[in-house]
Amino acid sequence: MLASLQKRLHDTVRQGVFHPQFHFLAYALLGVLLLLPQLTGLVTVGLFTRIFVLAVFGMSYDLLRGYAGIINLGHALFFGGGTYIAGIVFANYGTSPSMLGLAVLGTTAYAMLAALLMGKIAFRGGNVVACAMITLALGEIVRQIAESWRAVTHGADGLTFPIPMMFRDRVALYYYALAFMVIMMLALRQFIMSPTGRVLLAIRENEQRAIFLGYNTASYKLVALQVAGVVCGWSGVMFALTSRFANTELLTVQQTLNALLVTIVGGTGTLYGAIVGTAFVQLAQHTLLGLRGVHPIFERWLLFFGAIYVFVVLFMPTGIVGLYQRFISHWLQPVKPR
Amino acid sequence: MSNPIIWTKDLTVSFGAHRVVDNVSIAIDQGVFTTIIGPNGAGKTSLFNLISGLIKPTSGQVFMRGTDITHLSPIERVKMGMGRSFQLTNLFPALTVHENVRLAVQARSDLGLDMWRPFHRFRAINDEVESLLGDVRLTEKRSFLAAHLTHSEQRKLELAMVLSLKPAVLLLDEPTAGMALEDVPAMLELLTTIKNDKQITTVLIEHKMDLVASLSDVVIVLASGAILTKGNPSEVADNALVRTAYLGGGKYGAASA
Ligand SMILES: Nc1ncnc2c1ncn2[C@@H]1O[C@H](COP(=O)(O)OP(=O)(O)OP(=O)(O)O)[C@@H](O)[C@H]1O
Ligand SMILES: [Mg+2]
């Protein structure tokens, strides 16, 4: 019994494979989150809704960076694309629930196509730096298109739009977003535990060895990008429901870097690290902004933020989740490294 | 009578002005255990890189079972039944020993792009992994990270991974390189088992002459990128040219002394 628990824990710590049955912490947290709207005000509810949606954005990024070892600097094109597509649908075709279906379908098609094009171009040579530069350029192209296609996107002014009735209640939206995050996490986890997901880990660890085992690594990377792109696009649609507004900032590199930082802070290659990281970043930002009244120095919250990032990168290279795992693996260690 | 599974025709590769592999034409016969020896920098690894498709030749061709594979990718060559190990250990360091081998078995199992069923549900694959781990005596280390194994264990792990591809041709680049001396006999035993498996045609690069002598049916001597001589182990050992070639590298004399 204890041995099997130890093995579970060991797998969690060593392989980035996590067994939810072990994570009583996650269940406790879920319980608190289910009760949260009863315990707090609308500001907190709104903040957490945002955390749930952005956490999915972060997880989709982690699938690429933390599992497949792909640096995608144009990832925001999926996120902003989803928000824009939802906004354009709601603004032009109304807000009946079926329009949400249309937005989701449109986003899925867009993300799959964009990922296909991006992957075909970026994974050609197998060079990591070239891949980063190409994805950066593609992201910028999409941002330019959104900015100049004024008739549809309202350009730099941004696009304001109504949303379906069922999402207008803040508390209802909170629960939808929570469910969305949980479902996406479980689905991505299932994907990572599948044979295809395992190959992504192999590629991250040593692409040359994977090739010489006969894996066509480029096509596996393409699958990863498609899955990450579609999930990211959906998080963009959810974001549209929380913001009721889309602007080109959602398509910038800065937006992609937010996902990168969230995975760094939370811990890469864990999925739930992205959730922890997003919560940390959003709550820190919210708290620092709230301290403006106490002292004007907190106006410069970005300054504090920079300091936190530097601290995390220097002293917690495995992020918050990594720190937690080190802590528990210290307590229970079934095998000792040589 | 001879039945080559791999052969090369005037194979040449240059890096800048340096001809690293120079007009090499060899035939590796089916079921014959062939060893390539030669001083450091002779071009042995480069020849493997050409045969396995890691690098493209400047000129010349590579054939496998009668097909010109010169322009095929490494992946296509693996699919045709070519497996190789590397001189520098080449594993998935942050994955467990079991997962390293499992990925190799999965590669051959043709699961396609299964994205939903959990990997540990594939019973047949897991059973095969366990049996391979037993073959290389790594069963007890199954849940260690590859990075945490000793160097000798890592070499055995890599061998298990390549073997799980069930290759028709096995290219082994110095499997004992950097191994502790007391671990060499275990590797020799493993290599002997592989040699006795008639499904596998092995090409070995090796410096340890006692190993070469006891395993090889044919020895090919490479020096400065070109073939110096070829023959059975005792013929090669007696060859005056080989002795001269090794005086520079020194390893032959040292290892056989
Ligand atoms: N990619 C490369 N670019 C430039 N030079 C190279 C490259 N690969 C190999 N060489 C050179 O080619 C020569 C042969 O190298 P190779 O690794 O094939 O020798 P080797 O016979 O395997 O030697 P060793 O016994 O030390 O492993 C060396 O001089 C090496 O420096
Ligand atoms: Mg070599």
Side-chain angles (χ1 to χ4, degrees):
Chain A
M1 173 64 198
L2 184 66
S4 111
L5 275 182
Q6 280 197 342
K7 189 189 165 312
R8 291 245 152 87
L9 179 65
H10 170 70
D11 286 355
T12 310
V13 175
R14 284 289 150 76
Q15 262 185 292
V17 173
F18 79 96
H19 297 266
Q21 53 270 61
F22 204 88
H23 280 233
F24 56 93
L25 212 79
Y27 283 127
L29 197 65
L30 189 61
V32 172
L33 290 176
L34 283 171
L35 291 176
L36 193 82
Q38 270 72 56
L39 306 173
T40 59
L42 281 183
V43 175
T44 311
V45 166
L47 178 64
F48 273 84
T49 307
R50 205 181 150 84
I51 290 175
F52 300 152
V53 172
L54 292 176
V56 176
F57 175 44
M59 284 192 286
S60 73
Y61 195 77
D62 192 34
L63 179 68
L64 295 179
R65 191 181 104 94
Y67 286 91
I70 299 166
I71 300 293
N72 177 1
L73 292 180
H75 201 52
L77 75 84
F78 298 110
F79 183 78
T83 311
Y84 265 108
I85 289 170
I88 291 164
V89 168
F90 295 145
N92 296 299
Y93 306 107
T95 60
S96 71
S98 60
M99 285 304 127
L100 178 69
L102 182 64
V104 170
L105 274 180
T107 300
T108 308
Y110 159 82
M112 297 211 26
L113 188 69
L116 185 69
L117 288 175
M118 184 186 247
K120 285 279 180 217
I121 304 172
F123 301 150
R124 277 181 74 121
N127 180 318
V128 180
V129 178
C131 173
M133 298 319 285
I134 290 167
T135 51
L136 179 70
L138 292 176
E140 189 56 21
I141 289 172
V142 172
R143 192 192 64 77
Q144 285 286 350
I145 291 173
E147 194 160 307
S148 36
W149 199 6
R150 295 190 54 90
V152 176
T153 64
H154 296 205
D157 298 339
L159 179 68
T160 310
F161 48 85
I163 58 168
M165 212 56 172
M166 60 192 290
F167 299 111
R168 289 188 196 165
D169 177 54
R170 291 281 163 194
V171 173
L173 184 58
Y174 172 94
Y175 284 113
Y176 283 120
L178 178 58
F180 173 66
M181 179 182 79
V182 171
I183 293 169
M184 285 301 115
M185 188 188 75
L186 294 177
L188 284 175
R189 176 175 168 279
Q190 190 81 20
F191 174 62
I192 284 159
M193 301 291 275
S194 75
T196 300
R198 296 282 102 186
V199 177
L200 297 183
L201 280 177
I203 294 173
R204 176 194 72 190
E205 285 298 304
N206 185 345
E207 181 161 4
Q208 188 192 59
R209 181 72 268 181
I211 287 174
F212 277 92
L213 291 181
Y215 286 115
N216 189 344
T217 56
S219 61
Y220 281 89
K221 287 200 260 186
L222 191 59
V223 169
L225 187 61
Q226 298 235 323
V227 171
V230 168
V231 169
C232 183
W234 291 344
S235 74
V237 173
M238 285 304 287
F239 189 78
L241 299 177
T242 70
S243 68
R244 307 179 188 193
F245 179 71
N247 66 4
T248 50
E249 237 172 70
L250 300 175
L251 294 163
T252 55
V253 200
Q254 184 56 49
Q255 186 67 30
T256 302
L257 291 184
N258 285 342
L260 172 66
L261 291 171
V262 152
T263 58
I264 290 176
V265 170
T268 52
T270 57
L271 281 190
Y272 55 105
I275 301 178
V276 175
T278 307
F280 180 85
V281 168
Q282 290 292 326
L283 291 174
Q285 187 173 335
H286 183 78
T287 311
L288 289 172
L289 275 172
L291 288 175
R292 263 179 318 192
V294 180
H295 193 283
I297 188 150
F298 290 108
E299 289 274 5
R300 312 201 177 275
W301 61 272
L302 258 174
L303 203 75
F304 287 90
F305 232 54
I308 292 173
Y309 283 138
V310 171
F311 178 84
V312 167
V313 170
L314 285 182
F315 300 107
M316 294 162 51
T318 49
I320 297 170
V321 167
L323 206 65
Y324 167 73
Q325 289 183 340
R326 265 225 307 277
F327 173 72
I328 51 172
S329 71
H330 178 79
W331 284 91
L332 284 170
Q333 192 156 22
V335 287
K336 286 195 177 56
R338 150 177 82 98
Chain B
M1 192 209 111
S2 84
N3 178 19
I5 184 159
I6 294 265
W7 76 94
T8 69
K9 188 162 168 274
D10 303 327
L11 204 56
T12 301
V13 70
S14 306
F15 296 111
H18 188 186
R19 271 191 164 215
V20 169
V21 173
D22 191 3
N23 258 307
V24 169
S25 301
I26 51 170
I28 309 294
D29 287 337
Q30 176 110 39
V32 173
F33 196 109
T34 307
T35 304
I36 300 176
I37 63 168
N40 291 113
K44 305 181 293 296
T45 298
S46 301
L47 181 60
F48 266 20
N49 290 346
L50 288 168
I51 294 174
S52 65
L54 186 61
I55 58 176
K56 294 270 174 247
T58 313
S59 63
Q61 286 155 291
V62 184
F63 297 86
M64 181 166 179
R65 288 204 191 95
T67 317
D68 184 349
I69 60 167
T70 316
H71 300 289
L72 296 189
S73 69
I75 299 164
E76 290 167 306
R77 299 181 201 208
V78 175
K79 297 285 180 221
M80 288 179 72
M82 194 188 292
R84 81 165 283 187
S85 75
F86 292 83
Q87 185 168 357
L88 299 173
T89 313
N90 214 336
L91 303 163
F92 304 122
L95 303 183
T96 61
V97 168
H98 186 276
E99 187 62 5
N100 269 270
V101 179
R102 205 197 58 77
L103 278 160
V105 176
Q106 181 189 319
R108 201 198 68 241
S109 312
D110 214 21
L111 296 180
L113 291 175
D114 192 316
M115 292 188 237
W116 196 252
R117 282 180 297 167
F119 71 91
H120 44 79
R121 292 271 169 80
F122 294 84
R123 272 299 266 287
I125 292 185
N126 285 329
D127 291 348
E128 200 176 330
V129 173
E130 291 304 335
S131 110
L132 279 155
L133 286 177
D135 290 348
V136 297
R137 315 253 184 287
L138 283 176
T139 308
E140 314 223 303
K141 300 287 171 83
R142 57 194 302 291
S143 48
F144 275 54
L145 292 194
H148 289 160
L149 296 179
T150 67
H151 183 74
S152 301
E153 289 166 342
Q154 290 180 341
R155 306 287 337 187
K156 288 196 280 183
L157 175 57
E158 191 176 1
L159 198 56
M161 291 167 73
V162 190
L163 282 177
S164 59
L165 296 175
K166 295 213 163 85
V169 181
L170 182 59
L171 308 175
L172 300 177
D173 196 347
E174 295 195 41
T176 64
M179 257 195 172
L181 222 52
E182 68 265 27
D183 293 327
V184 174
M187 184 53 95
L188 176 61
E189 194 191 317
L190 254 171
L191 293 173
T192 311
T193 321
I194 295 171
K195 178 182 170 158
N196 292 335
D197 182 342
K198 287 301 165 203
Q199 303 299 311
I200 304 177
T201 304
T202 308
V203 187
L204 174 73
I205 295 177
E206 188 50 70
H207 279 301
K208 296 190 174 62
M209 283 316 293
D210 38 353
L211 222 78
V212 175
S214 65
L215 284 168
S216 317
D217 300 319
V218 172
V219 177
I220 296 175
V221 186
L222 211 62
S224 309
I227 293 179
L228 200 62
T229 185
K230 176 179 170 171
N232 67 43
S234 57
E235 283 167 11
V236 168
D238 293 338
N239 190 308
L241 279 174
V242 178
R243 294 190 170 272
T244 334
Y246 263 102
L247 281 181
K251 272 207 170 172
Y252 187 94
S256 60

